[in-house]
Amino acid sequence: MLSRTADHLYWMARYIERAENMARVLDVTYRMSLVANSAYDETARWKPPVQIADDIEAFEKNYSGYTAANVIHFMALDERNPSSIVSALGAARENARAVRVAMSSEMWETVNALWLELRQRIRQGLNEADICEFCDWVKSRSHLFRGVTFGTMLRDDSYKFVRLGSFVERADNTARLLDAKYQLLLPVVEAQEAQVDYYEWSSLLRSVSAFEAYQKVFRDTIEPWKVAELLVLRDDMPRSLHACYDELAPILEQLCRQRGQECLRLAGENHARLHYGRMADIFTVGLHEFLQDFILRNNVLGAEIQRAFLNGPE
C-alpha cells in the first residue's frame, strides 16, 4: 500500500474524530456554563476548551478574552485555528477526496455531504443558543461516518489505517478532556455546591457518552475518582484510554510485520500500563501527571506511525 494513500486515510479519520471531540468539549462546556456556580467566572469556564486543544497562544493572539462567543467561534468556525471543527472537517474532506478510490463510494458521499451541509450551516450563522444542536449534528455525522466505514469498507490495510487514526486521536482527546475538566471540577466541600458539582460531573460523563455506562458499572452517586477510572482503565468503556489501546494495539500488530517495530513496542508499552494499571497507583503519582505523561507517550506513538508508514510529519 502506498504511504501517500495510508497518510490520507489515517488523517481523514483523525480529523473527523477531532471534529467530534471538539464538538463534545464545546457541548459540555456550554452546558456547564448554564449551571449557576459562583466558584467559576467566565474565563474559568471557557478557557479549558482552548487548553484541551492546546491553542492558548493562537487564541490570545486573535481574541480579547475567554468569553462564550469568542471560544465558540474559535473552536467551531475559525478557519485560522487548525483544531476548529470547520478546519478539521475541511481537512478530512480534502484527504478523502485525494483517495476516493481507496474507500467505498458510500464513505466518500458521507464525508462530502458532511462538508457541504457544514458550509450551509456556516452561511446561516451560528450563535450561542444554537451550539448544542450544532454539536449534536457534528457528533451524529461522525457516528454516521464510522457506521458507513464499518458497514462498507473492505477489511484490508486501508481499513486498518482508518481505524488506527480514529483511536490515536480519540485517546489523545479523552486524556486532554479528563485532565482539563478534572482540575476544574475538583470535589467541592461546601454543602450548598454539592448539587451543582453532581450536575457538572454528569455533564462531563455525557460529553463522552459515558453517563449511562457509569450508572451501570458503579450503581452509585457520581464520584470523581470513579469517573477517572471509567475513562482511563475500563476496557469496556468505548472512549476510555484502555479501550482505545485495546483497538489500536492489534491493528499495529498486523501492520508491523515487516516494518514499524518501534510503533509496536510503543503501543505495547502504553497498552500494558493501562491493562495492568491501578487507580490507586495513578492517584499516588497524580492524575494530572499521569495524563500528561500519557498524552506525551501517545503523541510519540503518533509521530512514529507517521515516520514509519506515512508521508513524514503532518
Side-chain angles (χ1 to χ4, degrees), residues 116-136:
L116 294 176
E117 188 174 348
L118 175 65
R119 300 307 297 178
Q120 182 179 359
R121 283 174 169 266
I122 291 173
R123 286 193 295 269
Q124 293 172 350
L126 177 66
N127 57 49
E128 189 175 329
D130 299 327
I131 189 62
C132 289
E133 188 275 333
F134 175 75
C135 290
D136 286 341

PDB file of all heavy atoms in Angstrom, residues 116-136:
ATOM      1  N   LEU A 116     -20.540  19.735   2.733  1.00  0.00           N
ATOM      2  CA  LEU A 116     -21.483  20.638   2.066  1.00  0.00           C
ATOM      3  C   LEU A 116     -22.535  21.156   3.047  1.00  0.00           C
ATOM      4  O   LEU A 116     -22.898  22.342   3.023  1.00  0.00           O
ATOM      5  CB  LEU A 116     -22.154  19.914   0.900  1.00  0.00           C
ATOM      6  CG  LEU A 116     -21.227  19.517  -0.259  1.00  0.00           C
ATOM      7  CD1 LEU A 116     -21.999  18.722  -1.305  1.00  0.00           C
ATOM      8  CD2 LEU A 116     -20.573  20.742  -0.887  1.00  0.00           C
ATOM      9  N   GLU A 117     -23.012  20.288   3.909  1.00  0.00           N
ATOM     10  CA  GLU A 117     -24.003  20.725   4.901  1.00  0.00           C
ATOM     11  C   GLU A 117     -23.375  21.676   5.910  1.00  0.00           C
ATOM     12  O   GLU A 117     -24.012  22.635   6.355  1.00  0.00           O
ATOM     13  CB  GLU A 117     -24.610  19.515   5.615  1.00  0.00           C
ATOM     14  CG  GLU A 117     -25.782  19.885   6.516  1.00  0.00           C
ATOM     15  CD  GLU A 117     -26.478  18.674   7.105  1.00  0.00           C
ATOM     16  OE1 GLU A 117     -26.217  17.534   6.653  1.00  0.00           O
ATOM     17  OE2 GLU A 117     -27.287  18.872   8.037  1.00  0.00           O
ATOM     18  N   LEU A 118     -22.120  21.430   6.263  1.00  0.00           N
ATOM     19  CA  LEU A 118     -21.431  22.336   7.182  1.00  0.00           C
ATOM     20  C   LEU A 118     -21.316  23.728   6.580  1.00  0.00           C
ATOM     21  O   LEU A 118     -21.559  24.735   7.264  1.00  0.00           O
ATOM     22  CB  LEU A 118     -20.041  21.787   7.509  1.00  0.00           C
ATOM     23  CG  LEU A 118     -19.151  22.697   8.369  1.00  0.00           C
ATOM     24  CD1 LEU A 118     -19.753  22.881   9.761  1.00  0.00           C
ATOM     25  CD2 LEU A 118     -17.740  22.132   8.468  1.00  0.00           C
ATOM     26  N   ARG A 119     -20.965  23.819   5.298  1.00  0.00           N
ATOM     27  CA  ARG A 119     -20.846  25.135   4.661  1.00  0.00           C
ATOM     28  C   ARG A 119     -22.190  25.870   4.665  1.00  0.00           C
ATOM     29  O   ARG A 119     -22.242  27.087   4.863  1.00  0.00           O
ATOM     30  CB  ARG A 119     -20.354  24.975   3.213  1.00  0.00           C
ATOM     31  CG  ARG A 119     -19.006  24.302   3.050  1.00  0.00           C
ATOM     32  CD  ARG A 119     -17.910  24.946   3.868  1.00  0.00           C
ATOM     33  NE  ARG A 119     -17.657  26.321   3.481  1.00  0.00           N
ATOM     34  CZ  ARG A 119     -16.766  27.107   4.068  1.00  0.00           C
ATOM     35  NH1 ARG A 119     -16.061  26.657   5.092  1.00  0.00           N
ATOM     36  NH2 ARG A 119     -16.584  28.353   3.665  1.00  0.00           N
ATOM     37  N   GLN A 120     -23.250  25.120   4.471  1.00  0.00           N
ATOM     38  CA  GLN A 120     -24.573  25.741   4.506  1.00  0.00           C
ATOM     39  C   GLN A 120     -24.890  26.262   5.905  1.00  0.00           C
ATOM     40  O   GLN A 120     -25.432  27.362   6.064  1.00  0.00           O
ATOM     41  CB  GLN A 120     -25.634  24.732   4.065  1.00  0.00           C
ATOM     42  CG  GLN A 120     -27.047  25.302   4.026  1.00  0.00           C
ATOM     43  CD  GLN A 120     -28.062  24.278   3.552  1.00  0.00           C
ATOM     44  OE1 GLN A 120     -27.713  23.149   3.225  1.00  0.00           O
ATOM     45  NE2 GLN A 120     -29.320  24.662   3.509  1.00  0.00           N
ATOM     46  N   ARG A 121     -24.543  25.503   6.916  1.00  0.00           N
ATOM     47  CA  ARG A 121     -24.776  25.937   8.291  1.00  0.00           C
ATOM     48  C   ARG A 121     -23.950  27.183   8.618  1.00  0.00           C
ATOM     49  O   ARG A 121     -24.414  28.072   9.338  1.00  0.00           O
ATOM     50  CB  ARG A 121     -24.428  24.807   9.263  1.00  0.00           C
ATOM     51  CG  ARG A 121     -25.489  23.716   9.336  1.00  0.00           C
ATOM     52  CD  ARG A 121     -25.031  22.556  10.205  1.00  0.00           C
ATOM     53  NE  ARG A 121     -26.137  21.650  10.471  1.00  0.00           N
ATOM     54  CZ  ARG A 121     -26.922  21.700  11.533  1.00  0.00           C
ATOM     55  NH1 ARG A 121     -26.721  22.626  12.454  1.00  0.00           N
ATOM     56  NH2 ARG A 121     -27.902  20.842  11.704  1.00  0.00           N
ATOM     57  N   ILE A 122     -22.744  27.240   8.113  1.00  0.00           N
ATOM     58  CA  ILE A 122     -21.902  28.407   8.369  1.00  0.00           C
ATOM     59  C   ILE A 122     -22.519  29.653   7.742  1.00  0.00           C
ATOM     60  O   ILE A 122     -22.531  30.734   8.344  1.00  0.00           O
ATOM     61  CB  ILE A 122     -20.477  28.164   7.825  1.00  0.00           C
ATOM     62  CG1 ILE A 122     -19.776  27.084   8.655  1.00  0.00           C
ATOM     63  CG2 ILE A 122     -19.663  29.462   7.847  1.00  0.00           C
ATOM     64  CD1 ILE A 122     -18.440  26.665   8.093  1.00  0.00           C
ATOM     65  N   ARG A 123     -23.041  29.511   6.539  1.00  0.00           N
ATOM     66  CA  ARG A 123     -23.677  30.659   5.881  1.00  0.00           C
ATOM     67  C   ARG A 123     -24.894  31.150   6.661  1.00  0.00           C
ATOM     68  O   ARG A 123     -25.189  32.343   6.689  1.00  0.00           O
ATOM     69  CB  ARG A 123     -24.083  30.279   4.451  1.00  0.00           C
ATOM     70  CG  ARG A 123     -22.908  30.186   3.481  1.00  0.00           C
ATOM     71  CD  ARG A 123     -23.385  30.125   2.047  1.00  0.00           C
ATOM     72  NE  ARG A 123     -24.137  28.906   1.774  1.00  0.00           N
ATOM     73  CZ  ARG A 123     -23.592  27.779   1.337  1.00  0.00           C
ATOM     74  NH1 ARG A 123     -22.273  27.708   1.151  1.00  0.00           N
ATOM     75  NH2 ARG A 123     -24.336  26.713   1.103  1.00  0.00           N
ATOM     76  N   GLN A 124     -25.595  30.239   7.293  1.00  0.00           N
ATOM     77  CA  GLN A 124     -26.771  30.613   8.078  1.00  0.00           C
ATOM     78  C   GLN A 124     -26.393  31.261   9.402  1.00  0.00           C
ATOM     79  O   GLN A 124     -27.206  31.942  10.020  1.00  0.00           O
ATOM     80  CB  GLN A 124     -27.638  29.378   8.335  1.00  0.00           C
ATOM     81  CG  GLN A 124     -28.269  28.807   7.073  1.00  0.00           C
ATOM     82  CD  GLN A 124     -28.964  27.477   7.317  1.00  0.00           C
ATOM     83  OE1 GLN A 124     -28.828  26.884   8.392  1.00  0.00           O
ATOM     84  NE2 GLN A 124     -29.708  27.004   6.329  1.00  0.00           N
ATOM     85  N   GLY A 125     -25.150  31.046   9.834  1.00  0.00           N
ATOM     86  CA  GLY A 125     -24.681  31.634  11.085  1.00  0.00           C
ATOM     87  C   GLY A 125     -24.871  30.691  12.261  1.00  0.00           C
ATOM     88  O   GLY A 125     -25.750  29.827  12.258  1.00  0.00           O
ATOM     89  N   LEU A 126     -24.018  30.865  13.258  1.00  0.00           N
ATOM     90  CA  LEU A 126     -24.072  30.036  14.464  1.00  0.00           C
ATOM     91  C   LEU A 126     -23.978  30.951  15.670  1.00  0.00           C
ATOM     92  O   LEU A 126     -22.977  31.636  15.866  1.00  0.00           O
ATOM     93  CB  LEU A 126     -22.909  29.029  14.477  1.00  0.00           C
ATOM     94  CG  LEU A 126     -22.784  28.143  15.722  1.00  0.00           C
ATOM     95  CD1 LEU A 126     -23.978  27.201  15.823  1.00  0.00           C
ATOM     96  CD2 LEU A 126     -21.473  27.356  15.687  1.00  0.00           C
ATOM     97  N   ASN A 127     -25.029  30.985  16.467  1.00  0.00           N
ATOM     98  CA  ASN A 127     -24.982  31.794  17.680  1.00  0.00           C
ATOM     99  C   ASN A 127     -24.926  30.892  18.909  1.00  0.00           C
ATOM    100  O   ASN A 127     -25.029  29.667  18.810  1.00  0.00           O
ATOM    101  CB  ASN A 127     -26.173  32.761  17.752  1.00  0.00           C
ATOM    102  CG  ASN A 127     -27.508  32.030  17.684  1.00  0.00           C
ATOM    103  OD1 ASN A 127     -27.736  31.058  18.398  1.00  0.00           O
ATOM    104  ND2 ASN A 127     -28.401  32.506  16.813  1.00  0.00           N
ATOM    105  N   GLU A 128     -24.770  31.509  20.049  1.00  0.00           N
ATOM    106  CA  GLU A 128     -24.571  30.754  21.288  1.00  0.00           C
ATOM    107  C   GLU A 128     -25.735  29.818  21.589  1.00  0.00           C
ATOM    108  O   GLU A 128     -25.539  28.697  22.070  1.00  0.00           O
ATOM    109  CB  GLU A 128     -24.369  31.743  22.441  1.00  0.00           C
ATOM    110  CG  GLU A 128     -23.940  31.110  23.741  1.00  0.00           C
ATOM    111  CD  GLU A 128     -23.632  32.146  24.804  1.00  0.00           C
ATOM    112  OE1 GLU A 128     -23.187  33.256  24.449  1.00  0.00           O
ATOM    113  OE2 GLU A 128     -23.844  31.844  25.989  1.00  0.00           O
ATOM    114  N   ALA A 129     -26.943  30.249  21.283  1.00  0.00           N
ATOM    115  CA  ALA A 129     -28.120  29.436  21.591  1.00  0.00           C
ATOM    116  C   ALA A 129     -28.195  28.176  20.728  1.00  0.00           C
ATOM    117  O   ALA A 129     -28.864  27.201  21.094  1.00  0.00           O
ATOM    118  CB  ALA A 129     -29.388  30.264  21.412  1.00  0.00           C
ATOM    119  N   ASP A 130     -27.509  28.189  19.581  1.00  0.00           N
ATOM    120  CA  ASP A 130     -27.568  27.053  18.659  1.00  0.00           C
ATOM    121  C   ASP A 130     -26.457  26.031  18.888  1.00  0.00           C
ATOM    122  O   ASP A 130     -26.403  25.018  18.184  1.00  0.00           O
ATOM    123  CB  ASP A 130     -27.463  27.547  17.204  1.00  0.00           C
ATOM    124  CG  ASP A 130     -28.600  28.472  16.827  1.00  0.00           C
ATOM    125  OD1 ASP A 130     -29.708  28.273  17.353  1.00  0.00           O
ATOM    126  OD2 ASP A 130     -28.374  29.391  16.017  1.00  0.00           O
ATOM    127  N   ILE A 131     -25.564  26.285  19.832  1.00  0.00           N
ATOM    128  CA  ILE A 131     -24.340  25.490  19.905  1.00  0.00           C
ATOM    129  C   ILE A 131     -24.615  24.026  20.241  1.00  0.00           C
ATOM    130  O   ILE A 131     -23.966  23.122  19.708  1.00  0.00           O
ATOM    131  CB  ILE A 131     -23.337  26.114  20.912  1.00  0.00           C
ATOM    132  CG1 ILE A 131     -21.986  25.406  20.828  1.00  0.00           C
ATOM    133  CG2 ILE A 131     -23.894  26.089  22.321  1.00  0.00           C
ATOM    134  CD1 ILE A 131     -21.313  25.512  19.496  1.00  0.00           C
ATOM    135  N   CYS A 132     -25.581  23.753  21.113  1.00  0.00           N
ATOM    136  CA  CYS A 132     -25.857  22.358  21.479  1.00  0.00           C
ATOM    137  C   CYS A 132     -26.374  21.569  20.277  1.00  0.00           C
ATOM    138  O   CYS A 132     -25.949  20.431  20.039  1.00  0.00           O
ATOM    139  CB  CYS A 132     -26.846  22.297  22.637  1.00  0.00           C
ATOM    140  SG  CYS A 132     -26.163  22.842  24.214  1.00  0.00           S
ATOM    141  N   GLU A 133     -27.285  22.174  19.522  1.00  0.00           N
ATOM    142  CA  GLU A 133     -27.811  21.498  18.335  1.00  0.00           C
ATOM    143  C   GLU A 133     -26.713  21.284  17.304  1.00  0.00           C
ATOM    144  O   GLU A 133     -26.631  20.225  16.670  1.00  0.00           O
ATOM    145  CB  GLU A 133     -28.953  22.328  17.742  1.00  0.00           C
ATOM    146  CG  GLU A 133     -29.715  21.629  16.617  1.00  0.00           C
ATOM    147  CD  GLU A 133     -29.059  21.796  15.248  1.00  0.00           C
ATOM    148  OE1 GLU A 133     -28.360  22.816  15.050  1.00  0.00           O
ATOM    149  OE2 GLU A 133     -29.230  20.905  14.385  1.00  0.00           O
ATOM    150  N   PHE A 134     -25.845  22.275  17.142  1.00  0.00           N
ATOM    151  CA  PHE A 134     -24.734  22.154  16.196  1.00  0.00           C
ATOM    152  C   PHE A 134     -23.786  21.032  16.618  1.00  0.00           C
ATOM    153  O   PHE A 134     -23.361  20.216  15.789  1.00  0.00           O
ATOM    154  CB  PHE A 134     -23.981  23.484  16.115  1.00  0.00           C
ATOM    155  CG  PHE A 134     -22.742  23.433  15.260  1.00  0.00           C
ATOM    156  CD1 PHE A 134     -22.837  23.414  13.877  1.00  0.00           C
ATOM    157  CD2 PHE A 134     -21.481  23.398  15.840  1.00  0.00           C
ATOM    158  CE1 PHE A 134     -21.695  23.359  13.082  1.00  0.00           C
ATOM    159  CE2 PHE A 134     -20.336  23.347  15.058  1.00  0.00           C
ATOM    160  CZ  PHE A 134     -20.443  23.328  13.676  1.00  0.00           C
ATOM    161  N   CYS A 135     -23.455  20.974  17.892  1.00  0.00           N
ATOM    162  CA  CYS A 135     -22.548  19.926  18.382  1.00  0.00           C
ATOM    163  C   CYS A 135     -23.173  18.543  18.224  1.00  0.00           C
ATOM    164  O   CYS A 135     -22.483  17.580  17.860  1.00  0.00           O
ATOM    165  CB  CYS A 135     -22.190  20.188  19.844  1.00  0.00           C
ATOM    166  SG  CYS A 135     -21.121  21.623  20.089  1.00  0.00           S
ATOM    167  N   ASP A 136     -24.465  18.435  18.484  1.00  0.00           N
ATOM    168  CA  ASP A 136     -25.148  17.154  18.283  1.00  0.00           C
ATOM    169  C   ASP A 136     -25.102  16.740  16.812  1.00  0.00           C
ATOM    170  O   ASP A 136     -24.950  15.555  16.491  1.00  0.00           O
ATOM    171  CB  ASP A 136     -26.603  17.251  18.750  1.00  0.00           C
ATOM    172  CG  ASP A 136     -26.727  17.258  20.262  1.00  0.00           C
ATOM    173  OD1 ASP A 136     -25.769  16.844  20.942  1.00  0.00           O
ATOM    174  OD2 ASP A 136     -27.792  17.679  20.765  1.00  0.00           O
TER     175      ASP A 136
END
